[in-house]
């Protein structure tokens, strides 16, 4: 009974502190910026801890991945070697009920997920949560659509639930929800610049159609300004510079003054308005993102304040003297299954034995920091000779020498490859001298690994990621080289094109590729530019997963729409199914057919993803627009323009803005928080006051504290 427990500790009774500690574990979601507005009775807390356990969360993530991956094997299936319709073999089509059975299992899991979340927060909170209401609607519609598919023996033309599947990914990530909310609020500012771009495009389209009127020698009119749709498309593509200078050449060849029109269009549109759009996305999005992060910070501070109040087992009259015992906090952290190195944050208070409210709050700041890995101490040797050798082999200069040797090895490989190409002996037996040189380098790598193990010990050697990478490649190179000598002897006498296994030349190429990979060890040792770039990329991969998730959702939705609209729209002529060019089929230069873009289509989900990526890059994307306009209708251009605006304009600009903020010189690379957004907005975040926290605690729907 939460009320009785709260009433007991408000009367300064210590008898219920163990129960209070169990209740406190429900308030530790603040370590993950989660809300604490959930039930706090004993059975609900057990359900809560079970739901957020690693097994359940991994299971839910697996179900989301499975339901998204079904698009690759559902009809039209992507299980074929090639997506080229000219020589694509019949893809494997799953029997009716196979994918539907997997999907129903996933829908049952999502239903259980919704039921648990709804129960934990209660009906009142459920009615306020739009995401959970949408979650219920999506599951309900998906089940209805699934039943229709089964009743039609999987022969339905349209599966609405395929379009709804990305929602399961969105609702499971709070950061993705914040991102979508911020994008929605930023849309009015983005729309204003898009409107300016549209006006700019229409104005220059009208000028272009008047400037390049129909005449006998006007190739510009015939190719690019024949009608309004053609003119709009040509200038829209020029806005992305994909058809520059092709669109200008016919007019420019007649009169060089025509170049002023195209240059003015590009300067105003590409360099002014497009960059203005980037600036607006950066400023507005970050401003709204700050509001969401501020809400997360308030939610965490509220959880910390509630945790302190519950754990202190005291009431409000002694608020300024309140404190919690260090051993009690350690016990709660153990039950909450937090990482062990968080204990170091409160060991400094062990002598005092108690932590006040401000110290308790600062403990949670350590949850946002990576643990600084400490390497094991060096082994101790009694012999003076061994001690001197240990100093030599543990010195940083040994790593520099190893990098120089790796560079020399790569240069030898480059020289041997160039010599082989010059002599036209690429497919002959490799030179024995080259193999001897390779063996010498491998022996040095083995020597380096052994002396480092001697200097640092096994544990110390393996505590460095670079050493694990070097050691693995060294052992692999040695095993491969021994295999070569054992198989082909020395000098080589085997057949380089052996069909019984890997040929000699393939083995040698594998050795050389591994050596080239080993050369990557120099990246962390380049202290200036490359190391910064490499570390930035690694941190981006680790911290921008939510933004990548948004991109996955957008790709998924547009791919499904593309299949609905354009599946089987482009079909090669019958006489081109087994060859690229025939005398019976003439192709205009620069078109979809002449460029051989047949594999880029919407005939299956995987091919649609690749086509969308090609359009996002905007290189030659006019070929896709023109082809689908010919094979379907001119309105197909709307689909490609919407995709360009969503992916290349909005998403890429947002990603660039985040990278610029990420590379802020004030960043601390040694202690980088897991929550990237809190880190980026750290200077603008305002801490909530004590009065605000107490006011919200009084409004907690399930934790009724008697103050």
């Amino acid at each position: 009974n939460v009320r009785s427990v709260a009433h007991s500790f408000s009367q300064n009774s210590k008898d219920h502190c163990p129960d209070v500690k169990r209740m406190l574990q429900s308030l530790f979601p603040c370590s993950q910026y989660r809300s604490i507005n959930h039930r706090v009775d004993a059975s609900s807390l057990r359900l809560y801890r079970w739901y957020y356990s690693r097994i359940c969360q991994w299971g839910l993530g697996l179900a989301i991945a499975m339901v998204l991956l079904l698009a690759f094997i559902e009809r039209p299936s992507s299980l074929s070697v090639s997506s080229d319709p000219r020589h694509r073999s019949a893809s494997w089509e799953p029997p009716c009920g196979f994918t539907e059975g997997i999907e129903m299992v996933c829908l049952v899991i999502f239903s259980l997920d919704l039921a648990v979340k709804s129960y934990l927060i209660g009906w009142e909170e459920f009615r306020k949560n739009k995401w959970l209401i949408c979650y219920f609607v999506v599951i309900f519609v998906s089940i209805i659509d699934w039943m229709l598919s089964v009743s039609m023996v999987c022969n339905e033309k349209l599966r609405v639930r395929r379009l709804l599947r990305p929602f399961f990914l969105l609702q499971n990530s709070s950061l993705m929800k914040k991102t979508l909310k911020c994008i929605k609020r930023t849309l009015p500012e983005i729309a204003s610049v898009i409107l300016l771009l549209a006006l700019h495009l229409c104005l220059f389209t009208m000028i272009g159609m008047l400037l390049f009127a129909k005449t006998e020698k006007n190739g510009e009119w015939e190719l690019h300004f024949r009608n309004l749709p053609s003119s709009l498309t040509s200038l829209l593509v020029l806005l992305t510079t994909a058809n520059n200078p092709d669109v200008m050449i016919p007019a420019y060849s007649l009169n060089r003054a025509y170049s002023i029109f195209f240059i003015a269009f590009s300067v105003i549109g590409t360099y002014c308005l497009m960059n203005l759009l980037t600036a607006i996305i950066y400023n507005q999005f970050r401003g709204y993102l700050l509001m969401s992060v501020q809400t997360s910070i308030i939610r965490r501070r509220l959880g910390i304040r509630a945790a302190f109040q519950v754990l202190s087992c005291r009431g409000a009259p002694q608020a300024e003297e309140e404190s919690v015992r260090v051993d009690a906090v350690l016990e709660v952290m153990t039950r909450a299954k937090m990482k062990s190195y968080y204990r170091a944050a409160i060991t400094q208070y062990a002598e005092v034995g108690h932590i006040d409210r401000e110290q308790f709050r600062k403990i949670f700041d350590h949850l946002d920091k990576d643990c600084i890995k400490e390497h094991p101490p060096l082994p101790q040797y009694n012999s003076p000779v061994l001690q001197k050798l240990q100093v030599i082999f543990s010195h940083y200069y040994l790593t520099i020498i190893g990098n120089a040797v790796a560079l020399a090895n790569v240069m030898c490989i480059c020289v041997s490859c160039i010599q082989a190409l010059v002599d036209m002996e690429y497919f002959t037996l490799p030179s024995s001298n080259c193999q001897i040189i390779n063996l010498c380098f491998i022996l040095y790598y083995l020597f380096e690994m052994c002396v480092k193990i001697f200097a640092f010990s096994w544990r110390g050697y393996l505590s460095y990621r670079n050493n694990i990478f070097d050691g693995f490649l060294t052992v692999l190179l040695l095993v491969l080289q021994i295999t070569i000598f054992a198989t082909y002897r020395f000098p080589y006498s085997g057949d380089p094109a052996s069909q019984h296994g890997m040929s000699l030349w393939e083995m040698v190429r594998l050795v050389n590729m591994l050596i080239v990979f080993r050369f990557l060890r120099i990246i962390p040792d380049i202290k200036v530019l490359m190391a910064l770039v490499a570390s930035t990329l690694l941190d981006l991969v680790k911290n921008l997963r939510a933004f990548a998730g948004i991109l996955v959702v957008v790709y998924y939705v547009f791919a499904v729409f593309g299949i609905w609209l354009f599946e089987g729209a482009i079909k090669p002529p019958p006489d081109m199914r087994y060859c690229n060019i025939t005398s019976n089929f003439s192709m205009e230069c620069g078109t979809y057919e002449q460029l051989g873009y047949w594999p880029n289509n919407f005939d299956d989900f995987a091919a649609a993803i690749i086509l969308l990526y090609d359009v996002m890059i905007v290189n030659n994307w006019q070929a896709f627009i023109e082809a689908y306009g010919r094979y379907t209708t001119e309105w197909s251009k709307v689909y490609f323009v919407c995709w360009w605006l969503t992916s290349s304009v909005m998403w890429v600009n947002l990603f660039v803005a985040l990278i610029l903020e990420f590379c802020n010189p004030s960043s601390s690379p040694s202690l980088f928080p897991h929550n990237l957004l809190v880190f980026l907005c750290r200077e603008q975040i305002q801490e909530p006051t004590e009065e605000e926290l107490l006011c919200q605690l009084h409004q907690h729907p399930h934790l009724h504290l008697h103050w």
Side-chain angles (χ1 to χ4, degrees):
N1 191 321
V2 179
R3 293 179 180 270
S4 62
V5 172
H7 180 72
S8 300
F9 74 74
S10 66
Q11 301 299 324
N12 294 333
S13 172
K14 302 297 182 180
D15 297 334
H16 293 282
C17 279
D19 296 328
V20 171
K21 291 174 186 175
R22 284 195 294 271
M23 189 198 312
L24 175 66
Q25 295 177 49
S26 68
L27 304 178
F28 265 71
C30 58
S31 65
Q32 301 295 329
Y33 296 87
R34 292 200 296 263
S35 173
I36 63 171
N37 294 328
H38 53 77
R39 300 178 187 270
V40 290
D41 56 277
S43 60
S44 298
L45 292 185
R46 284 194 297 269
L47 179 62
Y48 186 91
R49 289 194 294 270
W50 171 81
Y51 175 76
Y52 281 104
S53 64
R54 181 172 298 181
I55 295 177
C56 290
Q57 292 302 306
W58 271 92
L60 181 59
L62 180 62
I64 294 173
M66 288 293 295
V67 79
L68 291 177
L69 291 175
L70 287 178
F72 290 97
I73 59 177
E74 288 177 332
R75 302 172 185 173
S77 173
S78 303
L79 301 179
S80 61
V81 176
S82 173
S83 61
D84 194 328
R86 294 172 298 176
H87 46 76
R88 177 174 53 195
S89 59
S91 58
W92 177 78
E93 297 290 347
C96 182
F98 177 74
T99 58
E100 287 75 13
I102 297 175
E103 187 174 13
M104 178 48 65
V105 172
C106 296
L107 290 176
V108 170
I109 294 175
F110 298 147
S111 301
L112 292 175
D113 176 54
L114 174 63
V116 172
K117 286 182 177 178
S118 304
Y119 169 76
L120 288 175
I121 66 174
W123 172 247
E124 294 297 327
E125 290 294 317
F126 176 83
R127 292 192 303 173
K128 301 176 185 177
N129 196 316
K130 297 179 180 178
W131 280 98
L132 288 182
I133 295 175
C134 292
Y135 197 11
F136 170 78
V137 173
V138 168
I139 293 175
F140 180 77
V141 173
S142 298
I143 293 176
I144 296 298
D145 190 61
W146 181 91
M147 295 172 65
L148 291 175
S149 296
V150 174
S151 63
M152 299 173 66
V153 199
C154 309
N155 290 324
E156 77 282 7
K157 295 291 185 181
L158 198 65
R159 295 189 179 187
V160 178
R161 64 185 184 278
R162 294 186 70 181
L163 197 62
L164 302 177
R165 288 171 185 170
F167 180 85
F168 300 126
L169 179 63
L170 287 176
Q171 64 84 29
N172 197 46
S173 172
S174 59
L175 186 55
M176 290 173 67
K177 295 176 186 176
K178 289 183 176 66
T179 306
L180 283 180
K181 184 179 180 181
C182 295
I183 290 176
K184 183 186 70 174
R185 292 184 174 181
T186 312
L187 283 178
E189 287 77 13
I190 297 176
S192 62
V193 182
I194 297 295
L195 180 60
L196 286 177
L197 279 171
L199 292 175
H200 168 71
L201 183 63
C202 292
L203 176 63
F204 273 83
T205 298
M206 294 296 103
I207 296 174
M209 293 182 68
L210 295 174
L211 189 63
F212 306 111
K214 181 179 181 181
T215 59
E216 293 182 0
K217 297 182 179 180
N218 194 346
E220 190 72 38
W221 172 85
E222 183 178 358
L223 294 175
H224 304 293
F225 289 90
R226 180 182 293 271
N227 50 44
L228 182 60
S230 175
S231 304
L232 282 171
T233 303
S234 298
L235 291 182
L236 177 64
V237 175
L238 180 59
L239 198 64
T240 64
T241 70
N243 61 349
N244 185 69
D246 298 349
V247 69
M248 180 180 68
I249 292 301
Y252 183 61
S253 62
L254 295 177
N255 191 332
R256 68 180 70 209
Y258 284 132
S259 63
I260 298 175
F261 170 82
F262 297 98
I263 293 174
F265 176 82
S266 298
V267 169
I268 297 174
T270 305
Y271 296 105
C272 294
L273 294 179
M274 293 296 288
N275 288 327
L276 176 63
L277 183 63
T278 302
I280 287 179
I281 290 177
Y282 175 66
N283 291 326
Q284 297 296 331
F285 186 88
R286 189 170 185 269
Y288 289 122
L289 201 60
L290 176 62
M291 296 172 58
S292 296
V293 174
Q294 184 72 53
T295 303
S296 297
I297 288 295
I298 293 176
R299 193 161 55 232
R300 164 176 271 205
R301 296 294 181 256
L302 181 66
I304 294 173
R305 184 65 181 86
F308 180 83
Q309 185 67 33
V310 173
L311 191 59
S312 64
C313 296
R314 295 176 183 270
Q318 298 88 7
E320 301 182 347
E321 300 177 1
E322 284 180 336
S323 62
V324 297
R325 299 196 314 274
V326 174
D327 56 348
V329 178
L330 285 174
E331 181 182 353
V332 171
M333 285 188 171
T334 302
R335 294 184 181 182
K337 297 181 181 179
M338 292 186 173
K339 294 182 179 180
S340 58
Y341 61 80
Y342 292 148
R343 291 171 172 266
I346 61 173
T347 52
Q348 54 182 324
Y349 308 108
E351 296 181 357
V352 180
H354 290 77
I355 303 176
D356 60 25
R357 186 191 307 159
E358 184 63 22
Q359 293 169 337
F360 186 77
R361 186 190 66 81
K362 289 182 178 179
I363 289 176
F364 285 83
D365 293 337
H366 291 267
L367 302 181
D368 278 337
K369 299 178 181 178
D370 287 330
C371 177
I372 300 177
K373 186 176 182 179
E374 296 183 359
H375 302 286
L378 298 178
Q380 300 294 326
Y381 295 104
N382 296 325
S383 172
V385 176
L386 295 180
Q387 292 176 359
K388 291 182 179 179
L389 290 176
Q390 184 182 30
V391 172
I392 294 173
F393 294 144
S394 61
H395 202 278
Y396 179 68
Y397 287 151
L398 182 66
T399 302
I400 296 178
I401 295 173
N403 293 340
V405 171
L407 177 61
N409 197 355
V410 171
M411 292 177 64
C412 290
I413 294 173
C414 292
V415 170
S416 63
C417 290
I418 293 173
Q419 185 64 35
L421 290 174
V422 170
D423 295 340
M424 300 299 292
E425 296 178 354
Y426 190 78
F427 295 102
T428 61
L429 283 172
S431 171
S432 299
N433 293 332
C434 292
Q435 289 307 298
I436 293 175
I437 294 174
N438 267 353
L439 179 61
C440 292
F441 280 115
I442 294 171
L443 291 177
Y444 173 80
Y445 299 147
L446 183 63
F447 166 77
E448 183 187 33
M449 182 181 70
C450 293
V451 298
K452 282 188 175 181
I453 293 174
F454 162 78
F456 295 102
S457 76
W458 273 106
R459 291 183 58 195
Y461 179 83
L462 296 177
S463 64
Y464 295 89
R465 294 180 179 178
N466 289 345
N467 289 341
I468 297 175
F469 179 73
D470 291 346
F472 174 75
L473 288 184
T474 299
V475 173
L476 198 58
L477 284 168
L478 184 63
V479 171
L480 193 55
Q481 196 70 45
I482 293 174
T483 303
I484 291 175
F485 288 146
T487 304
Y488 296 97
R489 309 300 178 183
F490 187 83
Y492 303 125
S493 59
D495 181 9
S498 173
Q499 301 298 323
H500 301 290
M502 185 179 290
S503 68
L504 172 60
W505 182 244
E506 290 173 341
M507 285 188 174
V508 172
R509 284 195 302 172
L510 182 56
V511 169
N512 290 337
M513 283 191 293
L514 291 176
I515 291 174
V516 172
F517 274 112
R518 195 179 192 279
F519 179 67
L520 297 176
R521 59 175 284 169
I522 72 169
I523 292 179
D525 298 317
I526 300 178
K527 296 298 184 182
V528 190
L529 182 60
M530 191 177 293
L532 176 62
V533 172
S535 61
T536 300
L537 288 176
L538 290 176
D539 286 334
L540 280 173
V541 171
K542 182 174 66 174
N543 293 286
L544 294 183
R545 289 173 294 183
F547 297 95
I550 296 288
L551 187 60
V552 168
V553 170
V554 174
Y555 261 96
Y556 202 100
V557 171
F558 271 87
V560 172
F561 268 121
I563 293 174
W564 287 356
L565 296 173
F566 308 117
E567 181 186 356
I570 295 183
K571 292 182 174 63
D575 54 353
M576 285 194 64
R577 293 195 177 274
Y578 300 99
C579 56
N580 290 328
I581 300 175
T582 68
S583 58
N584 298 326
F585 185 76
S586 60
M587 296 173 289
E588 184 180 348
C589 184
T591 59
Y592 179 94
E593 295 85 357
Q594 188 271 331
L595 294 171
Y597 285 173
W598 301 105
N600 294 280
N601 52 60
F602 287 101
D603 292 350
D604 59 71
F605 189 80
I609 293 292
I610 300 300
L611 190 148
L612 291 175
Y613 173 78
D614 292 337
V615 175
M616 187 180 74
I617 300 301
V618 301
N619 184 38
N620 251 10
W621 70 302
Q622 70 275 12
F624 299 105
I625 295 178
E626 188 270 338
Y628 278 93
R630 280 190 289 107
Y631 282 96
T632 57
T633 174
E634 289 289 339
W635 289 103
S636 63
K637 296 178 181 179
V638 176
Y639 171 86
F640 290 97
V641 172
C642 290
W643 170 245
W644 167 71
L645 288 173
T646 304
S647 62
S648 184
V649 175
M650 291 187 59
W651 172 258
V652 173
N653 285 330
L654 174 61
F655 190 70
V656 170
L658 286 172
I659 290 180
L660 291 175
E661 188 64 25
F662 187 88
C663 298
N664 193 324
S666 62
S667 302
S668 176
S670 59
L671 294 175
F672 192 84
H674 295 295
N675 195 316
L676 177 64
L677 298 181
V678 175
F679 176 71
L680 295 180
C681 305
R682 63 198 180 280
E683 297 179 356
Q684 289 77 22
I685 291 176
Q686 297 180 356
E687 291 290 339
T689 62
E690 177 71 11
E691 290 75 14
E692 293 174 343
L693 295 178
L694 293 179
C695 180
Q696 292 196 35
L697 275 180
H698 280 293
Q699 299 174 1
H700 193 287
H702 303 289
L703 183 63
H704 304 288
L705 300 176
H706 294 268
W707 302 90

